[in-house]
Amino acid sequence: MPLISIQQLADDVRIGLWQMTEKPAELYAQHPYLQPFAAEIDTRYKSEARKQEFLCVRALLHAMCPHETPVISHEPDGKPVLSNGWQLSISHTKGYAVLILSEHRTVGIDIEYMSDRVNRIAPKYIRPDECAPAVTDKLLNWSAKETAYKYYSEDNLQYFDMRVTAQQAFLHVENLKRSAVLKVLYRVEPDYVLTYAYEELP
């Protein structure tokens, strides 16, 4: 069951989650619309894992936009863009890929697999004025900052340019470069933490 969910978050905002269990050969067989990508990814990637990520992201996009699937390309800074002009953010981690799409709103998303690896690197991304005592807190801090980095892509934020504070049901990420605050929603599951944000329209 690779496709976990597609959820409507707002009138023009959708989030999709895909469990990456299939090998590239299986993905081609199960999803014929992926076959035109074969030559491209065989040239671009040697790693089977990178090929799997590429294909699962396209399969998820197709599931989210089945009638007319847009093409993903990338700006010079690496930001993904869609051929239909919609806003897009992509993330993947061990075993999962996620997308968030919006026709009009700025979006950002990140997923991180559940692990205590963050304990070793926490001082590199958690500010002294932030509180993240448990492993899950540290993962959420990291993931929320990755989401904010994508949301404010033009600012080229570094970890210490952002300050995370926990609210009752979401996180606030302060962009200290522009004195702005981003509301970041999150999920904590046994295998991963997921954070995402979308522009709140007036």
Side-chain angles (χ1 to χ4, degrees):
M1 189 177 64
L3 179 60
I4 303 294
S5 66
I6 297 173
Q7 180 184 0
Q8 196 80 26
L9 302 176
D11 58 346
D12 70 332
V13 184
R14 279 173 282 168
I15 187 172
L17 176 67
W18 188 283
Q19 187 172 17
M20 299 190 296
T21 58
E22 315 97 321
K23 301 298 183 187
E26 295 174 285
L27 287 161
Y28 290 130
Q30 295 169 12
H31 309 287
Y33 55 84
L34 295 175
Q35 291 174 2
F37 293 112
E40 176 185 351
I41 69 168
D42 285 345
T43 301
R44 186 186 298 185
Y45 305 119
K46 293 183 178 179
S47 163
E48 289 295 294
R50 293 292 290 119
K51 293 177 183 180
Q52 181 190 48
E53 289 170 357
F54 181 102
L55 292 170
C56 286
V57 165
R58 271 76 186 170
L60 180 53
L61 180 62
H62 182 81
M64 296 174 75
C65 305
H67 302 299
E68 186 177 351
T69 305
V71 176
I72 301 173
S73 60
H74 292 83
E75 294 181 347
D77 63 1
K79 180 181 178 180
V81 293
L82 288 175
S83 57
N84 64 359
W86 285 28
Q87 300 298 307
L88 164 73
S89 185
I90 302 170
S91 184
H92 34 69
T93 192
K94 186 166 67 174
Y96 295 92
V98 290
L99 297 179
I100 187 169
L101 299 174
S102 176
E103 188 173 356
H104 303 293
R105 309 180 197 219
T106 304
V107 293
I109 199 164
D110 186 71
I111 189 168
E112 304 290 341
Y113 72 91
M114 192 66 74
S115 166
D116 63 0
R117 72 196 187 284
V118 293
N119 287 329
R120 300 190 301 274
I121 60 172
K124 296 182 179 180
Y125 70 90
I126 296 179
R127 296 167 51 95
D129 56 355
E130 293 176 314
C131 181
V135 167
T136 300
D137 300 322
K138 292 181 176 69
L139 277 170
L140 284 172
N141 183 291
W142 182 7
S143 187
K145 287 179 177 177
E146 291 289 339
T147 289
Y149 173 84
K150 296 172 183 177
Y151 186 93
Y152 295 113
S153 59
E154 68 276 16
D155 289 358
N156 192 27
L157 294 170
Q158 304 301 306
Y159 286 123
F160 281 19
D161 294 331
M162 295 172 274
R163 180 165 49 221
V164 178
T165 54
Q167 308 301 310
Q168 187 169 4
F170 55 90
L171 302 170
H172 269 160
V173 181
E174 293 179 71
N175 177 345
L176 300 174
K177 278 190 173 182
R178 62 165 74 181
S179 299
V181 177
L182 180 66
K183 179 180 178 180
V184 176
L185 303 166
Y186 67 89
R187 302 179 198 165
V188 177
E189 301 291 346
D191 292 342
Y192 60 84
V193 300
L194 171 66
T195 61
Y196 55 95
Y198 55 92
E199 184 180 1
E200 295 185 357
L201 300 179

